Amino acid sequence: MTVRRVINRLADQGIIDTVQGLGTFAKPIDLGAATFDLGDLKRLLSGEDVNVRVLEASIRSADERVARKLGVEEGRRVVYIRRQILRQEEPFFYHREYLVYDPRRPIVEGELEVTSLKGLFNGEGGANVKWGRLLIEPTVVNERESGFLHVPVGTAAFQLEHVFYDFDDEPISWGWFICPSGQLRLTTTVGAREEL
C-alpha cells in the first residue's frame, strides 16, 4: 500500500486532517462525540429469565412534579405503577412510573405486562410509544428501594429516568428504574478504530 493510500484511509477514518501547504495532522479524540451503548441493558431486559412483578397499580392525581413531567395540568388523573424486575427470580431493577390516564389507550394494559424499556427495545408492550428520552444518573439505594432490591441501604446504583412519547410527540409516561451499579455496565468507544 502506498503512503498516499494510507493517508487517505486515515483521513476517511477521521484520524488525521491534511491541510494543503501545511501538512498532515493527527486529530485529537473528541470525547464530546462519544455515545454509550445500552446493549447490556437490552440484553438484561430481553432475557427469557426476566419477569415483572407488579407491586402496586393505582390511579392518582398528578402533583406538580408529575404534571410537569407529563405535560398535563396539576390534579389530572394519572396511573401510578410500582414494580420489581426480576432475573432468575432475583430482583435487579425497581421501577416507578406514572402514565397519562386515558381509558381509550391500551398502553396501561401493556405496561402492566412488560417494562417500557423492554417494549421500546423489542417493539412489544408499548404500541403507542414512538420514542423516549433516557437520563442516567448515579444515586444510592434508599430504605424503600433496599427492601425491593435486596441490597443494603446506601448501595451505589444507577437511576434511569425515562419519558416516553406517543406519535403526536406528547409525553405518555414518566418514571425511573433503580438498578444497583453492579448490574449494569455502560460502554463506549472513543477515537477511530478498525472495524471488526
Side-chain angles (χ1 to χ4, degrees):
M1 187 178 292
T2 66
V3 171
R4 173 58 39 207
R5 288 185 84 189
V6 170
I7 289 173
N8 287 341
R9 190 169 184 187
L10 292 173
D12 290 343
Q13 292 176 358
I15 297 172
I16 62 169
D17 271 332
T18 57
V19 180
Q20 191 170 2
L22 293 177
T24 302
F25 304 93
K27 283 185 173 181
I29 293 176
D30 181 8
L31 294 178
T35 57
F36 285 86
D37 177 9
L38 294 177
D40 279 351
L41 180 59
K42 181 177 179 177
R43 281 186 290 283
L44 280 172
L45 293 175
S46 299
E48 293 295 321
D49 57 352
V50 173
N51 295 305
V52 177
R53 179 180 297 150
V54 176
L55 304 169
E56 178 183 356
S58 61
I59 298 198
R60 297 184 173 188
S61 293
D63 63 18
E64 185 276 328
R65 183 177 181 211
V66 172
R68 182 172 28 88
K69 293 288 189 174
L70 291 176
V72 298
E73 62 280 355
E74 203 169 327
R76 178 168 173 176
R77 293 179 0 156
V78 295
V79 178
Y80 174 65
I81 302 173
R82 282 188 316 114
R83 57 191 146 202
Q84 286 175 303
I85 293 96
L86 305 121
R87 186 178 61 215
Q88 298 175 351
E89 298 306 314
E90 287 297 317
F92 70 100
F93 276 3
Y94 174 65
H95 186 226
R96 294 171 63 184
E97 181 175 33
Y98 295 87
L99 297 103
V100 173
Y101 177 74
D102 184 346
R104 297 168 297 166
R105 288 186 178 171
I107 191 166
V108 174
E109 291 82 358
E111 283 297 303
L112 290 173
E113 295 298 322
V114 69
T115 69
S116 295
L117 288 176
K118 184 176 179 182
L120 193 66
F121 282 135
N122 297 330
E124 58 189 55
N128 291 329
V129 175
K130 177 183 175 186
W131 65 283
R133 186 178 312 276
L134 297 178
L135 171 66
I136 302 173
E137 295 182 305
T139 189
V140 293
V141 173
N142 66 29
E143 191 170 332
R144 178 178 223 180
E145 296 158 352
S146 169
F148 293 114
L149 290 169
H150 303 170
V151 296
V153 172
T155 297
F158 290 112
Q159 176 178 295
L160 288 77
E161 180 181 359
H162 63 80
V163 180
F164 291 105
Y165 295 83
D166 65 13
F167 285 88
D168 295 321
D169 292 323
E170 296 293 328
I172 54 175
S173 76
W174 166 66
W176 58 96
F177 294 84
I178 301 296
C179 174
S181 61
Q183 300 284 2
L184 182 63
R185 292 175 44 206
L186 303 173
T187 58
T188 190
T189 300
V190 295
R193 68 178 187 95
E194 196 70 31
E195 293 299 319
L196 300 177

